[in-house]
Amino acid sequence: MIEALLTRARRAHGARTVLIAHTGAGAAGTAATLAGETGGRLVDLGRGGGGTGGRTKPPVDLLVLVAVTAADLRAAVPRAERLPAATGFGIAVQGTAPRQSPPLPSPPGLGQWSGLLYSRTRRLPDQGWLWEFSFADPVEAALVLEAVARGLAGNRRGPGWATPTSARNRSATDPSWLHLGGRGAVARAAEAARLSVDDVPVVDERVVNPMGFTRGSTPRVGRLVSRGGRWVLVAGNVRWRVPEDGAVSDVDVAGLRDLRAVRVEWGRHSGPLAAVRAVAGLAAAGIPLVGSRPPLWARPLGKELHDLLAHSPEEGLADELFREEHSVRLRRAALRAHGSYGRARLLAESGGPAVPAEPTVSVVLCTRRPEMVRFALRQVARQRGVDVEVVLALHGFAVDVPGVAAAIAEYRRGGRSLLVWEPPGDLVFGSVLNGAIARASGTLVAKMDDDDWYGPDHLSDLVLARCYSGAELVGCAAEYHHLEHLGLTVRRLVPSEVFGQHVTGASILTDRTTLEEVGGFRPLRVNEDAGLLDDVRDAGGSTYRTHGLGCVIRRRGTGHTWRETSGYFLREPLRQWRGWRPSALLESSPEDAPAPTTETTTPDSPTAGSDR
């Protein structure tokens, strides 16, 4: 079908000079057919074809690019300078994962597309897409590929393509990488032992990421096994034939979401880096991986991911909560070591190219309750993996109230940054938040509530979700609630790892630019969180909801601005436990656990309450 559509496009353009480029394993056949039908020149863009200095080449009437996956297209964008300008374009991606919205292209600014005559986005069979463009005058190929790549990423912030892959600037097509990733390379143990994380091509987290993770699964466990020197993923039948370069696509991930887990059976593969690349990609997507201890040649996984795979009990994954916790740990480790953002920072730390400083997170913490200051500051002090400053707004009371100064001194004792502001008690809460934000200096701003519990990776998980989603605002699903007056912990099964209209106000994280564009929080006494979410949406921004396992909302019998009865929190679907039972990812401290009002169970107890 792609061939017929692009042939039709050629005729519509009246194209006399045609160039057919392709990238990704499997695109060559389609491109060759098109070249045969049109007489166009064939270029393997994935292999570095097309020469150099594309801007000096004579323009063509029609430039066609065939890519297998979204990741292939995004990786091709930096190579587009090798291609000539054209007046007509046909860009096809043969398969993408199911999408929430169509991948409409994002035109560049500066009037570079003022001569656009025609544009069309068309869905193809098997979730593929085709984009057609016609211009009055030749346009640089890079501008068109960038527009389509951004559309595939949802037209959200961040680069439209993958960033450089390693300290040696390797990519999957460099000869040095192909040698190490080639068939039989795993036998060269001495060479494999010298490899490191830097040698593995990065995971493009804007394509391969936890989006679409499902809590529910079938009982089936897939097996990643070696057949003829290459891995295949078997789950009843062959679900996925792992390419020789080990690349994982969004289409591959979508086809595995129903599995309870994937068991990695370490054995011969096409090569050590290809094998590591495949495992890292699956882990970055949150596919629950289990298996025996990885072999020596798998050290480029990185220590954290290596250790998680070495201690991954398959039997526990029958429990939905345990399975999701395991998935979150894997995705954290893989994205930090193998994602493009995390890799760039690791390389900079080891003497590689400099990158901008890690964004600082300003936590705005506003409270009317002096007795909660110490508890709230402990929740912030637990945060790891991020550079945090706190703006503490003492709403209607002063620092000399008993216990407050001591709590502040305790927080500052570890060299942590904290600024204290004492707004008047008659100032509405939305204005208090804006005043605290005005006093903050961080690149990112996070809102935390004074009485809720937060796991030590709460903020770093939000920053990570911001990277792979590109959303203007991120937050947690409002899943876990502790009903203090009833002595119950409940988990509402709110969909997570999705774009949506709502996140819990206790977990909002955004950047200063977004806050400036929407005017900050509305000056309201209540519902200021909902107002911000509405304003971001109305301004064209997106909101992403990541997992809610690292945040527990405290619910008392009275005293909340969110005036819902206890019955609201006990509606289906939910899981319910007696006593205090947060997720293991909260890493609950006994010092902060709520006082028991009924029979209380510990988070690690296998008999903690019952499910509803």
Side-chain angles (χ1 to χ4, degrees), residues 64 87 112 127 146 177 188 292 301-302 316 362 368 383 497 569 576:
V64 174
T87 52
Q112 293 157 300
Q127 299 294 329
E146 286 176 17
W177 193 90
R188 296 188 281 273
S292 58
L301 285 168
S362 292
R368 283 186 176 274
Q383 300 305 305
E497 299 300 348
F569 301 95
Q576 174 182 308

Side-chain angles (χ1 to χ4, degrees), residues 393-417:
L394 305 177
H395 191 188
F397 63 95
V399 72
D400 57 2
V401 171
V404 173
I408 292 172
E410 180 183 343
Y411 181 85
R412 286 174 169 163
R413 201 166 293 134
R416 305 180 188 93
S417 174

